Amino acid sequence: MDQDRLRRLIEALENGEADIDEVLEKLRMLPYEDIGYAKLDHHRSIRRGFPEAIFCTGKTTEQVLEIADRILSNQGEVVLTKVGSELASELKARFQEKVTHASEANMAFLGNCSQKVDGKVAVVTAGTSDISVAEEAVALCDRYGVEVSRIYDVGVAGVHRLIPYVPAINASDVVIVIAGMEGALPSIVSGFTDKPVIAVPTSIGYGANFRGLAALLGMLCTCSPGIAVVNIDNGFGAAVFALSILRIAHSKKNG
Amino acid sequence: MDQDRLRRLIEALENGEADIDEVLEKLRMLPYEDIGYAKLDHHRSIRRGFPEAIFCTGKTTEQVLEIADRILSNQGEVVLTKVGSELASELKARFQEKVTHASEANMAFLGNCSQKVDGKVAVVTAGTSDISVAEEAVALCDRYGVEVSRIYDVGVAGVHRLIPYVPAINASDVVIVIAGMEGALPSIVSGFTDKPVIAVPTSIGYGANFRGLAALLGMLCTCSPGIAVVNIDNGFGAAVFALSILRIAHSKKNG
Amino acid sequence: MDQDRLRRLIEALENGEADIDEVLEKLRMLPYEDIGYAKLDHHRSIRRGFPEAIFCTGKTTEQVLEIADRILSNQGEVVLTKVGSELASELKARFQEKVTHASEANMAFLGNCSQKVDGKVAVVTAGTSDISVAEEAVALCDRYGVEVSRIYDVGVAGVHRLIPYVPAINASDVVIVIAGMEGALPSIVSGFTDKPVIAVPTSIGYGANFRGLAALLGMLCTCSPGIAVVNIDNGFGAAVFALSILRIAHSKKNG
Amino acid sequence: MDQDRLRRLIEALENGEADIDEVLEKLRMLPYEDIGYAKLDHHRSIRRGFPEAIFCTGKTTEQVLEIADRILSNQGEVVLTKVGSELASELKARFQEKVTHASEANMAFLGNCSQKVDGKVAVVTAGTSDISVAEEAVALCDRYGVEVSRIYDVGVAGVHRLIPYVPAINASDVVIVIAGMEGALPSIVSGFTDKPVIAVPTSIGYGANFRGLAALLGMLCTCSPGIAVVNIDNGFGAAVFALSILRIAHSKKNG
Amino acid sequence: MDQDRLRRLIEALENGEADIDEVLEKLRMLPYEDIGYAKLDHHRSIRRGFPEAIFCTGKTTEQVLEIADRILSNQGEVVLTKVGSELASELKARFQEKVTHASEANMAFLGNCSQKVDGKVAVVTAGTSDISVAEEAVALCDRYGVEVSRIYDVGVAGVHRLIPYVPAINASDVVIVIAGMEGALPSIVSGFTDKPVIAVPTSIGYGANFRGLAALLGMLCTCSPGIAVVNIDNGFGAAVFALSILRIAHSKKNG
Amino acid sequence: MDQDRLRRLIEALENGEADIDEVLEKLRMLPYEDIGYAKLDHHRSIRRGFPEAIFCTGKTTEQVLEIADRILSNQGEVVLTKVGSELASELKARFQEKVTHASEANMAFLGNCSQKVDGKVAVVTAGTSDISVAEEAVALCDRYGVEVSRIYDVGVAGVHRLIPYVPAINASDVVIVIAGMEGALPSIVSGFTDKPVIAVPTSIGYGANFRGLAALLGMLCTCSPGIAVVNIDNGFGAAVFALSILRIAHSKKNG
Amino acid sequence: MDQDRLRRLIEALENGEADIDEVLEKLRMLPYEDIGYAKLDHHRSIRRGFPEAIFCTGKTTEQVLEIADRILSNQGEVVLTKVGSELASELKARFQEKVTHASEANMAFLGNCSQKVDGKVAVVTAGTSDISVAEEAVALCDRYGVEVSRIYDVGVAGVHRLIPYVPAINASDVVIVIAGMEGALPSIVSGFTDKPVIAVPTSIGYGANFRGLAALLGMLCTCSPGIAVVNIDNGFGAAVFALSILRIAHSKKNG
Amino acid sequence: MDQDRLRRLIEALENGEADIDEVLEKLRMLPYEDIGYAKLDHHRSIRRGFPEAIFCTGKTTEQVLEIADRILSNQGEVVLTKVGSELASELKARFQEKVTHASEANMAFLGNCSQKVDGKVAVVTAGTSDISVAEEAVALCDRYGVEVSRIYDVGVAGVHRLIPYVPAINASDVVIVIAGMEGALPSIVSGFTDKPVIAVPTSIGYGANFRGLAALLGMLCTCSPGIAVVNIDNGFGAAVFALSILRIAHSKKNG
């Protein structure tokens, strides 16, 4: 529909029905919906490949519900992160069967996923305590039809625990490695594979960990060059990055 | 050759000519060459997809030359980073026409690249001062036959300078964005593309930049989820990561 | 009245009715009212252009009420920041119709604003979560009769969301830009305008944001030279600074 | 000239001589000149109110000379910061009488200043060691015809040294206060004036100063709300910000 | 009594009733009372000039009561800091009229003060919110008979508020200055007096204050050399230091 | 039992009943038990000398109980740290008389300790508030039959309190020194003994202590070379390290 | 002389020869001499008890010589810190026999010390490397006629090295303790004395010392309440503080 | 000799030839030699088990030579660290054949080692650049007759490089692991051994390594409990700690 409106506008310009200022004004207005405290970017899925996600921390339930409603109407699907159980109930009350709640990941999805992505992702954690961050990555990959291998609790102090999973890691296209404390697991995983390794530091730990700082610095200073890092506890961002990688492969294959 | 030795060893085990401890002992010795101060990992290129790189800072010229010689003999090619002009001369004196010197990148390569990687990478910098880090990424991509678009000096204060290059960015498979100071360019580039964006903070700046800390934190805290970050000034690591992405696509296409 | 007392004092000195020490002693006493735990600066509005503000965090309700009462009696108006809902009720109970409560901004005003300031201020936020800080700036500008454009949720990842608002920004005299996370929005806004940009980092974000540090360092390291920064979450300070700019313009115009 | 080309382009579009893609392509090219390692933004002075400045640190002499040459040809003037004496000589050899060298400020200007700004700025330093940063601000203000009061070495430990200068400060439109060590001077100056105070921390100091961090944090945490802060040692940025304030006043007066 | 036991011990040694090891063993035992989780240093008041103080944070009520009881029995007086209202009640229940509770200071004293110190101390705060730290200093000085001038809320932004109190400051022997936020007040006070200035940073503030770090660094980097600093919020330590100064003067006078 | 299975596997390989891949596959599986969210390392006690410990923070009660159950079944004993009173009750309900609860240490043990270690450890604290960390070390040493001397509250300000305990310290094999605040006690203890000193910084303190950072940095920067440091509040790690030292001595003696 | 001019001014006011504005104007001018880049505070020695000191780092030789010359003419004496050997030569060439150069302290004095202070100061260092900072304190104390005990190299790891000097420390009025690395010496010294202890952290050390940060934090977090701290490497500030203490005692004694 | 003097002193006390004060005075004097800027602790080797070491950084050549001479005369041997080549030449000129220079370790030894220690230490490094720190540990262990296995360049990215050396590590009594960058190697080594692992972070690395901070925090936050950490680049301290461990074993065996 938007595509149509866009085409008509450009024709109006070319055949003189509109001057350039009118057109620019309209072009500006097309992709937004302004609800006062939020500007919804309904063309985002075209431009970025993903629908707009709502980071729920720091927003009121009313704001979340209204923003979600508008995005759902326009884009057909919504991704919500940091969804507590109370907010999840409100979402279910409002959007009913349209809601999928990934409770371990504190995420929710509205509507059907418009897009499927081919590929395999291994999600590896150092400890049991890193699992909630890992599940954020898993939930998003699942949603997009990506095949996920969960490889949990294979941390550094027992590196031999990792070795049985090296084949599973190498059978994936992308590896997400999640670790708190000293954050060394991504370096080690990277030594066993030629796949891109996305490292997620977590705030798990105490003392000199300084809320994830130790893990973050360790991952950035890795001596293994095939690693890139996202923010502390940002399992969602790691999954979006992994999906963006898989789409390249997908388009190449089909292109 | 190694492949042959490996096969023979396993046969020796299976037909009883060697017991398991002898075999394990030999397996351990196969992939290494120990020159005292360095353990060369000649199987690395099989396992990791790249030959071992020599990070020259903090090594004597003698160490670099000997390590390079051994890797060259066994693996047929070597990558050297942080190669100053003096070391470059020594490398040329020793290895002559086998040396390729990428002087803007402070890198050198020995031997022929054994492997080519399909794909396109856009290397984007915020300022002119970030170029030396960018060239590190460019030199490695070039070496592997990847097509590179250099898009330099399109920094944040004039975001409209970036817009003409959005088509070139979207025509790439992977985008490497390099920025010092506030490090905001990766977020902005990411807003215009669905490609994976690898962000490289640089130590360019002064005062509250604290040697790249401001750019690093900024990139990690990006509000755009499709970004991953490597260490400050680590153009080489960004390129290795980009190549690991392109190889997935390549293998998918051909698999 | 103070003016009169001041004049009489100086005459007393000049005609020998008082010696210099007596006069100095009296001059010292004039502008203050000492209520033990607070020294009220009733001449402040003459000297600084604004009445004294009460930063309510860390003061007891009794202290706030008494300080407010004294300032109101002497200066005719009071500004209070960080006013929670409970304190707001106490203020209403005590000062009744003299109270204006700006609840979204956690501010209160007592009495009538003695002064109006000409001009337009654009208040721009990167996200919805930055709005409470923005409203602090808006409430103070409103109070002084300044025309405010609220431009909310136009953050960096979708810089094109900002473009439709460039005309509104350029129609303002001063721009206040409020952002958490990587804090890049002020640099970008500054690229589109020749107006002074006052940047307010917020503590919105998580992980490597370190309670606003990432946004703060990013804003200070901006590559755009027309930006100055106030403390994290300090919307009030940004507004006072903006008003001080507008008064120059005003006085120039009328001077 | 650019204005003419712009008008002709739009007419071409409107009367059908060019289609929208051709026009957009040309529009993109208009304001830039791409010299490979730099994108020169020749429309910047229209959009931002100042010509593009060259931050010379980290650029080769050749790069600086070529960038300067291009900006000079297109915009008629250039501002260069962090110009050491050697680079200054090269600039004089190349641009001869077109160069103005502000040696105390480590700045240079090419061509004539196209624009004058009305107003008065007081530049205040805490100590003698802060003067080089102050002169950066002074040189830029001078260039634009702004009247500058230099008030140097009036630091905090002798606050009474400041008092005689309060009238000069209040006779200015904007105050730039520059201080290292504990960075307390801006708070104190702000207590005596209703003018906007732009605070510049310097890296002067030792020990717990941590290269300007103490002064920077101190200025941000000021208890006086009429202050905004720029980066450590950034006298240039403070002056650009001050000029942006003065232009509002100027346009109001004449508007 | 202890003095007697000490004398007898030494005599025993000198007249051969005890050998050196027995004596050393007894000497070791004299000044302590070991109650398992605490070693009470009953000679401390002789050696250090003050009775042992109990820092109550992180101790159970039982531990505090028992430690207090033992010290009271042996030394005749006890000082307790960080005494919440609940603990204060327990102390009153147990020690009844022997308890003096300084509630604004969160301190308690048991027994009579064995020692009086001559002198005057001025306790100066920047804001009303710093008063609880100030009262800690006041309570201890009071206890020792020192004359205290409370000079509260004379902070930096209105330095003229301080000026009327300069005579009171100069009439003191020692000045304790307590400030949060940018921590500039000690520098300013120091400019007006030749008395030793003990600076106490407080954790009052927000954002770039980082829980007192800004005030602490500012006070350490003061350009005024007559200042020394104690830990954040440590009003008690400042008072002990002030008392140690006053005792020198006292002993000199009477020596 | 595992020993038997291992022997049989190797025989199967050597007599041709299994090929190398089958054996490797089985070898991988032997030492683990995979319960989904945790990989239990039942060979750990062989390889590392201690059974696997469960760090209970961040795990659900259900996870702790199941992990504990599995380890208990396979390894015969379990160590749990950071066990709150509620979790302790659940453990007792489930494992009954098999549970030993060291409540001051927030630890629990299941099963019988399979191993005794000869030796003496002195556990020294600076203050009463450091005792909970000390008890963590004491509980583990006790469990392994090590003789422990508790030397509590001998902190730096009264170094003479330490002197009576020097003989007890020198009668130990290893010294664990636990201190918050400035963390100086390990340096001092180390000056009196030739035993290895394991230093444990604690988060006890306030202000410039920054949650244990001051103590940690102080211990690392000790001028006494015979000290090594573990993480803040990590009494458990210090005890494991001490036990690993004692076992060397033990094996030497008996070897 | 100044005293006379001051008296005459006030008489002029009181007998009507001058009005208040003329007098204030003259009063402002009296204590200053403005040499452009510096404001010399010739009344400082009256107000603060010490002549103005010149911190030579960051000033040109010309600036130092001129400032010194003016202060010498007006105040009769000058103190200079951070005087390198080259600058010392220039001072001798210019001021000849009026210069006293304390080369180990990197200090110089011009003219005769106008003031003597009674008392004894012990200057204690942890190591030999801290001596240059200590000598700064010694030189200033010497200058003022204070008796100094140098107690060097008695650091923490051998606390028994300190014990023989405890009597010397207790025979002083004030103790200055200088230490790098972990900075624990002030706490220990403080445990043996009831004198005020001024702690000076130094930047001596490496690694986790972070240029004096470890020593600084350690000293601030001391568990001994009778300690106050000055900036890293600031031996001069410690001496000024010590002198301000001695003067109280002195005035009390003579008062 | 000292032992004799000590015995005679105590006899003098017991038979009344000396009173206790005389004896204490003499006892104090015995173990020291005071050469003004240094207090030499000639009893240290008795008390601490090692002769006093001279940390040469920050001492003049003259100071080093004199201190070394005195220690050599009294204790028969000296250890010097951070000995540059120039200082080494001076030591050889002065002490001739008594000097042993360990040039890779930047250490020197004077005299014969009075003491031998039984045992084996494995010194493991992550990279070639960590070798200079490792050699410091090796040189000291060598000196004391300890058997050292050098296992260099087995860093994390190729953890399989480590595996062949696991037997050598397990054949040692103590393991010293040295690593820069992310500092993960100690955790991994610890997973393969039950020996105490002493971790040494190095300042090798760049960017987010922040001069060894990343490695330091990583090692402290290790998830493996059998690790303790010394200061950044402190190979010497690690060796002293290892020797103190070996002596326990030695004394147990022989005790």
Side-chain angles (χ1 to χ4, degrees), chain B residues 211-235:
Chain B
R211 301 174 180 237
L213 181 65
L216 172 63
L217 296 184
M219 289 174 181
L220 287 163
C221 294
T222 178
C223 42
S224 181
I227 293 176
V229 185
V230 297
N231 198 2
I232 298 165
D233 294 335
N234 189 12

Side-chain angles (χ1 to χ4, degrees), chain D residues 190-201:
Chain D
S190 171
F192 288 109
T193 185
D194 64 346
K195 305 303 178 188
V197 172
I198 306 168
V200 188

Side-chain angles (χ1 to χ4, degrees), chain B residues 62-122:
Chain B
E62 288 66 33
Q63 289 179 332
V64 170
L65 292 178
E66 186 176 355
I67 295 175
D69 197 27
R70 300 295 178 99
I71 299 178
L72 185 60
S73 309
N74 277 276
Q75 307 183 28
E77 65 169 322
V78 190
V79 176
L80 301 100
T81 64
K82 309 297 172 194
V83 176
S85 56
E86 210 175 320
L87 178 57
S89 304
E90 297 281 347
L91 285 166
K92 282 173 193 160
R94 173 79 160 264
F95 298 102
Q96 304 196 357
E97 78 287 349
K98 287 179 188 155
V99 181
T100 312
H101 182 211
S103 61
E104 280 189 274
N106 292 317
M107 292 180 77
F109 301 96
L110 302 184
N112 295 316
C113 183
S114 59
Q115 182 189 19
K116 291 291 162 181
V117 178
D118 264 10
K120 292 181 187 169
V121 170

Side-chain angles (χ1 to χ4, degrees), chain D:
Chain D
M1 193 178 76
D2 282 346
Q3 300 280 16
D4 286 350
R5 283 159 71 190
L6 196 64
R7 197 178 315 130
R8 264 180 284 132
L9 253 177
I10 290 169
E11 289 168 3
L13 180 80
E14 292 192 327
N15 58 34
E17 288 168 28
D19 71 6
I20 192 166
D21 284 336
E22 284 170 353
V23 173
L24 285 175
E25 196 56 30
K26 280 178 187 160
L27 279 171
R28 276 171 188 154
M29 289 313 145
L30 261 186
Y32 294 96
E33 184 173 14
D34 191 335
I35 57 172
Y37 52 83
K39 313 264 173 294
L40 306 179
D41 182 357
H42 298 320
H43 273 199
R44 183 181 175 79
S45 61
I46 295 171
R47 201 178 63 252
R48 287 286 292 126
F50 287 102
E52 201 163 12
I54 307 175
F55 181 74
C56 297
T57 306
K59 295 196 179 70
T60 64
T61 300
E62 289 65 35
Q63 289 179 331
V64 170
L65 292 177
E66 185 174 358
I67 296 174
D69 196 29
R70 300 296 178 99
I71 299 177
L72 184 60
S73 309
N74 276 276
Q75 307 184 27
E77 65 168 323
V78 190
V79 176
L80 302 100
T81 64
K82 310 297 175 195
V83 176
S85 57
E86 207 174 323
L87 178 56
S89 304
E90 296 282 346
L91 286 165
K92 281 173 196 160
R94 172 80 160 263
F95 298 103
Q96 304 195 358
E97 79 286 348
K98 285 179 189 155
V99 181
T100 310
H101 182 212
S103 62
E104 281 189 273
N106 292 317
M107 292 179 75
F109 301 96
L110 302 183
N112 296 315
C113 183
S114 60
Q115 180 190 19
K116 290 292 162 182
V117 177
D118 263 10
K120 292 180 187 169
V121 170
V123 178
V124 184
T125 77
T128 324
S129 308
D130 301 314
I131 291 179
S132 67
V133 175
E135 285 295 315
E136 213 177 74
V138 168
L140 195 75
C141 288
D142 269 356
R143 169 86 178 172
Y144 282 83
V146 169
E147 201 176 314
V148 180
S149 305
R150 279 179 179 89
I151 303 173
Y152 288 172
D153 193 33
V154 294
V156 170
V159 72
H160 57 297
R161 278 195 301 206
L162 173 66
I163 293 173
Y165 297 93
V166 170
I169 287 168
N170 279 315
S172 306
D173 298 308
V174 180
V175 191
I176 295 172
V177 185
I178 298 161
M181 300 173 109
E182 84 268 59
L185 190 58
S187 294
I188 294 161
V189 169
S190 171
F192 288 109
T193 185
D194 64 346
K195 305 303 178 188
V197 172
I198 306 168
V200 188
T202 70
S203 52
I204 296 299
Y206 62 96
N209 172 288
F210 294 115
R211 301 173 178 237
L213 180 66
L216 172 62
L217 296 183
M219 289 173 179
L220 287 164
C221 292
T222 178
C223 44
S224 181
I227 295 176
V229 185
V230 297
N231 197 2
I232 298 164
D233 293 335
N234 190 10
F236 171 74
V240 171
F241 195 80
L243 290 168
S244 76
I245 293 175
L246 292 176
R247 276 191 311 209
I248 304 171
H250 192 260
S251 65
K252 290 256 163 182
K253 191 175 162 187
N254 302 319

Side-chain angles (χ1 to χ4, degrees), chain B residues 28-66:
Chain B
R28 275 170 187 155
M29 289 312 145
L30 263 187
Y32 293 98
E33 183 173 15
D34 191 334
I35 56 172
Y37 52 83
K39 311 265 174 295
L40 306 179
D41 182 359
H42 297 320
H43 273 200
R44 183 181 177 77
S45 61
I46 295 170
R47 203 179 60 254
R48 286 287 291 125
F50 288 101
E52 201 163 13
I54 308 174
F55 180 74
C56 297
T57 306
K59 296 197 179 67
T60 64
T61 299
E62 288 66 33
Q63 289 179 332
V64 170
L65 292 178
E66 186 176 355

